[in-house]
Amino acid sequence: MKPLKNPFRFTSLLRPMIYLFLFSLIYGFGTLMLLDLPAPWNDITRTLLLAVFGLGLYFVSTLIWGKKRKTLALKRTAEVFGLCLFMAVFTTVVISPLSLQGNHVVWLIVGAILGTFCLLFALPTLVLFFRAIYDGIDSFGEQVKFVRLAWKGRFWYILNLWLMLFVLMYAWDNFMGGPLYSGGGFDAPSIFTTLMYLKEPTIYFEMILLLSQGAAGTWELTMLGILESLLMVFLECNLIAAIGEAGQQMWNEYHYNKPIEKNSPVSRR
């Protein structure tokens, strides 16, 4: 019998984990500060803030995959920002309003389908686009091809990785009454919007600190929030590592017809 191998990395991901925790902490405080802004400034500033956080997430991804030259060049940074801005605008303008169409059956069905599709594929696809940009694939058509090859070749692997993380977050929040809590049912558009704007690893911790000051059991809730934050950061970094490596593997096998490079993260597992 072959010995079981640890599927997770910790020591090699410690630096990216610290950066992700700090970026999420800043993003969490920034998001909470926007709650009192009047519309439409609330949506505009939140959209821009999420796009900027996407730049930080891309930086974390480059650390996870092994920093290369020009991965943070102005052109690639602009591509990442544009990609994250598009996703933020799409969430705000298209997905979020669909969660408010409960009295219209047709829109309710459209929202359920589109919201579920985004829940399943949006964030893993974003990581794959990050990997394509990181690998220096400049053409948008080639980047789309990279993503398509990754999903085609490693569909269940990528989907299972993401679903394990999402189910854990969703179950935790339903248990603790966090941002993803859906006591009224599984409202896919609302859950996806909340996931994009409120469910960064430290946001639950921040909400506990700001909304439960002086309440009984606050310390215990705060400790649980910290533990959740650390666990989610650890799992997210491993998820980024695995999905990015899967995309590179399929690209190499199909496009270059050569094995994965010796200095790639896959060979270090």
Side-chain angles (χ1 to χ4, degrees):
M1 179 181 295
K2 294 182 179 180
L4 294 175
K5 294 183 179 180
N6 181 9
F8 298 109
R9 295 157 53 188
F10 180 81
T11 53
S12 62
L13 295 180
L14 186 58
R15 187 182 172 202
M17 286 170 57
I18 293 173
Y19 274 110
L20 181 57
F21 188 89
L22 291 176
F23 291 155
S24 297
L25 187 69
I26 296 171
Y27 175 79
F29 273 118
T31 301
L32 291 176
M33 292 174 63
L34 300 176
L35 293 179
D36 295 330
L37 286 180
W41 297 109
N42 184 297
D43 288 338
I44 293 174
T45 52
R46 182 180 299 190
T47 299
L48 291 175
L49 183 62
L50 183 61
V52 171
F53 176 78
L55 292 177
L57 188 62
Y58 173 69
F59 171 71
V60 170
S61 300
T62 64
L63 295 181
I64 292 173
W65 295 324
K67 226 176 162 185
K68 294 192 221 175
R69 290 185 60 192
K70 298 183 179 180
T71 54
L72 299 176
L74 181 60
K75 182 178 184 299
R76 296 182 186 178
T77 302
E79 288 180 355
V80 171
F81 181 78
L83 185 67
C84 295
L85 184 62
F86 169 79
M87 180 168 285
V89 170
F90 179 77
T91 303
T92 303
V93 176
V94 178
I95 301 298
S96 183
L98 289 174
S99 65
L100 306 175
Q101 305 297 325
N103 296 327
H104 301 82
V105 177
V106 174
W107 287 114
L108 187 64
I109 295 174
V110 172
I113 295 174
L114 190 58
T116 302
F117 183 84
C118 288
L119 279 174
L120 292 175
F121 301 111
L123 293 179
T125 298
L126 180 64
V127 174
L128 288 172
F129 267 107
F130 282 176
R131 182 71 200 209
I133 295 171
Y134 164 85
D135 281 337
I137 302 174
D138 294 325
S139 167
F140 180 71
E142 289 294 288
Q143 292 171 5
V144 172
K145 182 179 179 182
F146 179 97
V147 174
R148 180 177 57 82
L149 287 172
W151 275 115
K152 182 179 179 180
R154 304 298 300 275
F155 179 86
W156 292 113
Y157 174 75
I158 295 174
L159 186 62
N160 285 337
L161 287 176
W162 161 241
L163 284 180
M164 283 190 290
L165 178 60
F166 171 72
V167 168
L168 181 61
M169 287 191 294
Y170 185 71
W172 176 271
D173 272 30
N174 274 266
F175 175 71
M176 295 294 294
L180 294 181
Y181 177 68
S182 57
F186 192 85
D187 185 351
S190 177
I191 293 174
F192 179 73
T193 302
T194 304
L195 183 70
M196 291 293 293
Y197 285 114
L198 288 179
K199 195 59 188 99
E200 283 313 309
T202 57
I203 188 66
Y204 188 64
F205 171 48
E206 305 309 326
M207 292 182 73
I208 290 172
L209 289 180
L210 295 179
L211 303 179
S212 303
Q213 290 180 359
T218 300
W219 173 248
E220 290 80 3
L221 289 175
T222 301
M223 291 305 298
L224 285 174
I226 293 173
L227 290 176
E228 186 217 15
S229 300
L230 295 175
L231 176 61
M232 292 306 164
V233 165
F234 169 70
L235 294 177
E236 283 187 21
C237 285
N238 276 278
L239 178 74
I240 291 172
I243 291 179
E245 292 163 8
Q248 184 195 42
Q249 181 180 10
M250 297 312 302
W251 180 259
N252 286 342
E253 290 180 1
Y254 180 87
H255 194 72
Y256 294 116
N257 192 27
K258 65 179 182 181
I260 298 172
E261 296 89 339
K262 291 182 179 180
N263 62 347
S264 73
V266 177
S267 63
R268 296 197 299 266
R269 279 181 173 264

